[in-house]
Amino acid sequence: MRGGKIKIVIPENPDEFKAMEEIQKDAWNAEDITITPAHVLRAAQMANNCVYLAYVEDEPVGYVYGFFGFHDGKLYLHSHQVGVKRRYQNMGIGFLLKLKQREFAISRKIDLIRWTFDPLQSKNAYFNFAKLGAINREYIQNLYGEIKDELNHGIPTDRFYVEWYVFSQRVRDRVEKKVRPPSFENLEIPLATKTKKLKESMLVLGDYDTSLSEKLLAIEIPVNFTEMKNRDLKIAIDWRIKTRELFIKYFSRGYIVVDLIRSQDRKRCFYILCRESLEKILSENWWAW
Ligand SMILES: CC(C)(COP(=O)(O)OP(=O)(O)OC[C@H]1O[C@@H](n2cnc3c(N)ncnc32)[C@H](O)[C@@H]1OP(=O)(O)O)[C@@H](O)C(=O)NCCC(=O)NCCS
């Protein structure tokens, strides 16, 4: 495909909704029972929720699906899924789908889009925080119970419930690519996690510190959690249990996840947590502070 034309449309005919089932099976390596069926996607779109399909040339390759939510007397958009077929990932298609979703919200004067994701999936984390400018201050334990797909099988489905303030300066800076986080080596931020590499190059989390109080702190996560899970479920579960405690403790003390940064060789990933008002985080380029 490389170099092929990407087009994003509102799906209209039954074949397009069927294609979204196929994209899910491929993107999540999911069993039929775990996917959102075509008829639900069709109904959601019919009721004017947010459903877009991405094509490369004539092939449907990705989609985004969200519906309206209601909290504290206000409407927001809950984005249930974004998925791109494996061979088309890392080409910016997911990013374009989220931009379309942002336009959908903006044109309806909805300022907040939320979605859940597994905080140990570093790619999703980088996508959500570094590229899109979402923030997170909520941790949910085992939200769905067990899900039978490659990403989730065998592990409690803990989730961040991110907030994407689509009108904010922070989000504008990120989606217009005006601000990108520095690499980890260029920062002096205290680390709440001590990790070590096992022989088989598996990253293990040893000691961790829940009592740091600096304005910024970092929490390391593995760079390929799905592969780790397939190779050694015990190590993966250990990551889940320890990072669960870390995030819950820091969120309870007012920290907000504001970024996911990588090492220069991209082999290590670190969350950046910040203790600052949400207003300030959303309105300023805080890497310039
Ligand atoms: C998450 C997903 C939708 C992103 O779509 P995409 O088209 O691959 O995303 P993009 O190409 O716009 O961005 C991916 C970024 O992740 C980075 N990335 C890739 N692997 C990474 C890793 N292991 N750790 C950190 N970052 C990683 C890429 O470098 C890229 O950033 P860049 O553009 O700055 O180079 C897609 O990968 C997917 O379908 N995943 C499976 C389903 C899923 O998890 N959906 C989301 C939860 S509902």
Side-chain angles (χ1 to χ4, degrees), residues 88-101:
Y88 292 98
Q89 290 180 9
N90 298 322
M91 297 176 184
I93 295 170
F95 183 67
L96 292 177
L97 282 161
K98 292 300 282 189
L99 293 191
K100 211 62 188 165
Q101 188 179 59

Side-chain angles (χ1 to χ4, degrees), residues 184 187-193 212-219 250 271-273:
F184 186 69
L187 295 172
E188 276 179 31
I189 294 184
L191 250 177
T193 42
L212 295 176
S213 54
E214 284 84 346
K215 181 165 159 171
L216 292 177
L217 60 91
I219 292 178
Y250 281 114
Y271 278 113
I272 303 297
L273 280 70

Side-chain angles (χ1 to χ4, degrees), residues 266-283:
R266 298 192 172 185
K267 288 188 176 151
R268 296 180 73 188
C269 286
F270 305 84
Y271 278 113
I272 303 297
L273 280 70
C274 175
R275 193 154 60 171
E276 188 48 89
S277 71
L278 182 63
E279 196 186 15
K280 189 157 180 188
I281 287 169
L282 294 180
S283 60

Side-chain angles (χ1 to χ4, degrees), residues 26 39 65 70 79-80 83 120 130 142 153 155 183 186 260 263 275-276 289:
D26 184 89
H39 64 86
Y65 160 48
F70 199 61
S79 178
H80 184 53
L120 290 174
N142 200 24
H153 184 67
I155 196 116
S183 59
N186 297 331
L260 189 285
S263 57
R275 193 154 60 171
E276 188 48 89
W289 289 352

